[in-house]
Amino acid sequence: MNWKRFALAVLAVLILNNIAGFVIHGMLLQADYAQYPNLLRTQEEAANYFQWMLLNFVVFSVAFVQGVEDKPWVGQGLRFGIAVWCLTSVAGFLTYYAVQPWRGEIVVKQILYELPRALALGLAAASIYRK
């Protein structure tokens, strides 16, 4: 394993994932989430748990980069991004929809907004490992 590429890919995924998460869930979906004040933490309360979100992003980034190989990067990045999107976003938000009182429109937004994020992460990681 090339540790330099690995560390660089983890860092790239970590940074992109944080930015995308903020844009999607902190900006684009903020008004939708405000409709569920009893389901989600307030911003002030969530700030007390931010270290757990950072840990989540680090663990995700390390695991995400493990799936990248030294193969032609564009196809690999897109395929891998779609696979991770299906495993995390589609499966996760459909599970939340089944067990929590989310409106269907919000779940569709969550899933669709997460697709470009997953593709960007896949392409970023694969581009660092490209031939």
Side-chain angles (χ1 to χ4, degrees):
M1 174 186 287
N2 183 323
W3 289 102
K4 183 178 178 181
R5 280 186 180 182
F6 176 78
L8 186 58
V10 167
L11 184 62
V13 168
L14 179 66
I15 292 168
L16 286 173
N17 203 21
N18 271 283
I19 293 168
F22 174 75
V23 170
I24 292 168
H25 300 285
M27 296 172 66
L28 296 174
L29 292 169
Q30 184 177 22
D32 294 307
Y33 291 162
Q35 298 172 30
Y36 296 90
N38 296 326
L39 188 59
L40 301 170
R41 296 183 193 279
T42 65
Q43 287 184 351
E44 295 76 25
E45 187 180 4
N48 295 323
Y49 293 86
F50 188 67
Q51 70 273 16
W52 299 107
M53 187 59 72
L54 288 177
L55 179 60
N56 164 57
F57 283 129
V58 169
V59 170
F60 177 89
S61 299
V62 170
F64 189 92
V65 172
Q66 293 293 324
V68 179
E69 300 173 341
D70 187 14
K71 293 184 177 178
W73 72 280
V74 174
Q76 179 192 192
L78 294 175
R79 283 189 304 275
F80 190 62
I82 289 170
V84 169
W85 173 70
C86 288
L87 288 170
T88 58
S89 301
V90 176
F93 288 118
L94 289 177
T95 298
Y96 295 154
Y97 182 61
V99 300
Q100 295 176 336
W102 292 103
R103 286 194 349 264
E105 303 84 47
I106 295 174
V107 173
V108 169
K109 285 182 186 180
Q110 290 168 321
I111 290 171
L112 292 178
Y113 287 160
E114 289 288 339
L115 179 57
R117 175 189 197 172
L119 294 175
L121 296 178
L123 287 170
S127 72
I128 292 169
Y129 274 85
R130 72 177 167 210
K131 290 183 176 184

